[in-house]
Amino acid sequence: MRALLLTEKDVEGLLRMDDALRAVEEGFLALGRGEATNRPRQRVGTRETAVNVMLASWPARGYAGFKYYAASRAGIRFWVHLFDLATGDLVAVIQANRLGQQRTGAASGVATKYLARSDASTVGIVGTGWQAQSQLEAVCAVRSIRRIRCFGRDKARREVFAKKMSSAVGVNVEAARSAEEAIRDADIAIAATNAPQPVIRGEWLRAGCHINAIGANRLETRELDDTAVQRSAFVATDSIEQAKSESGDLVESMKRGLIGWDRVHEIGDVIAGKVVGRTKADDITLFKSHGIAIEDVAVAAVVYERARDGGIGNPIPL
């Protein structure tokens, strides 16, 4: 068998948000049931340039795979390698910038589906970059959203983002003048930034709010202040093992004794029914996302099978 080489253009044509949401939810469920294996991100290199690798296996789905990327000041390029577990064959090599964007949004969408109030209708987002786009797409796919407010430091950029996303999600997106203005009164609060210090403060959060924090994945960075974490009645993450080595948002609050790991649960356990998430309408809930390999394998499997069945992609002679 020859593996398929799938480009960003191929992924763009093959993957929709509803596909990513379904795949990621099923992947999380498999983790929650103990039917899949996920290995945390490993990093080697320097502070300027690091090579990152993450690995997962999902036997019932028939695939294992890994994602790798080098992050430097010159940028980041993501690749996923997907293997058929029945044969051991490499079946696809996929350019994964778009794939990663969609699966990261989908993870937040799945968490929102299970943790946000069913009547949540307003969103506040801090961050107006590429990842922020899929965050809004996913949340709007799982809740009936009526209003969105966005904030980014660059006024022109946030206004462009507001206009673009209003068209993309069919909901009025307003450019807020501050992070506080974006987050106050929001039923769903999203942090999607590369900021090293908190951009969402707990005092801004309304009762019943659900938070998706997706930008910080190093211990020295965080998007939420201690109050936001402490006010969260239920805290979920994609991987506790990965959170212990990457989540500045959680670890910093733990250092001060504000929460403990006993209060943190994996979203897969919520989906599998092992843990109850929201119990009251006024609960503040938090999903701390790091981006884990099972998400990549789940979505890559969908992309590969559509490409294979549709005769898309270029065979790689092996």
Side-chain angles (χ1 to χ4, degrees), residues 206-312:
R206 72 179 300 175
C209 178
H210 171 67
I211 312 163
N212 292 318
I214 71 110
N217 64 6
R218 288 181 177 272
L219 291 177
E220 63 270 23
T221 62
R222 59 189 309 198
E223 295 178 298
L224 310 176
D225 71 355
D226 286 339
T227 304
V229 177
Q230 191 176 26
R231 288 190 67 196
S232 297
F234 187 84
V235 180
T237 188
D238 37 18
S239 164
I240 290 176
E241 185 179 9
Q242 194 157 316
K244 288 180 176 180
S245 63
E246 293 189 352
S247 181
D249 285 307
L250 301 181
V251 171
E252 285 300 313
S253 292
M254 290 180 184
K255 287 180 180 177
R256 285 179 274 284
L258 302 176
I259 63 167
W261 285 110
D262 60 318
R263 279 189 53 197
V264 182
H265 305 276
E266 294 193 347
I267 191 66
D269 288 341
V270 178
I271 297 169
K274 295 181 177 180
V275 178
V276 177
R278 175 178 296 275
T279 58
K280 296 183 296 184
D282 284 351
D283 281 350
I284 293 175
T285 56
L286 165 62
F287 175 60
K288 175 56 195 168
S289 175
H290 302 92
I292 61 174
I294 193 65
E295 301 164 20
D296 297 299
V297 170
V299 176
V302 173
V303 170
Y304 162 66
E305 289 174 353
R306 286 200 170 156
R308 177 198 63 196
D309 297 344
I312 297 168

Side-chain angles (χ1 to χ4, degrees), residues 76-112:
I76 309 176
R77 291 292 180 270
F78 299 88
W79 293 87
V80 169
H81 285 222
L82 191 68
F83 296 85
D84 183 330
L85 283 176
T87 64
D89 289 331
L90 174 67
V91 294
V93 176
I94 307 172
Q95 288 185 323
N97 288 42
R98 176 63 169 169
L99 185 151
Q101 180 208 33
Q102 292 293 86
R103 66 78 149 143
T104 303
S108 293
V110 172
T112 301

Side-chain angles (χ1 to χ4, degrees), residues 134-177:
S134 64
Q135 293 294 308
L136 294 186
E137 290 171 8
V139 166
C140 288
V142 301
R143 287 293 184 270
S144 298
I145 302 302
R146 295 184 293 103
R147 190 196 71 201
I148 300 169
R149 288 176 175 165
C150 69
F151 177 76
R153 290 174 298 174
D154 186 289
K155 182 175 184 292
R157 183 174 179 178
R158 68 177 177 257
E159 289 177 349
V160 169
F161 178 86
K163 182 176 180 180
K164 177 179 180 179
M165 295 311 299
S166 294
S167 176
V169 300
V171 177
N172 184 44
V173 181
E174 306 168 19
R177 292 168 294 182

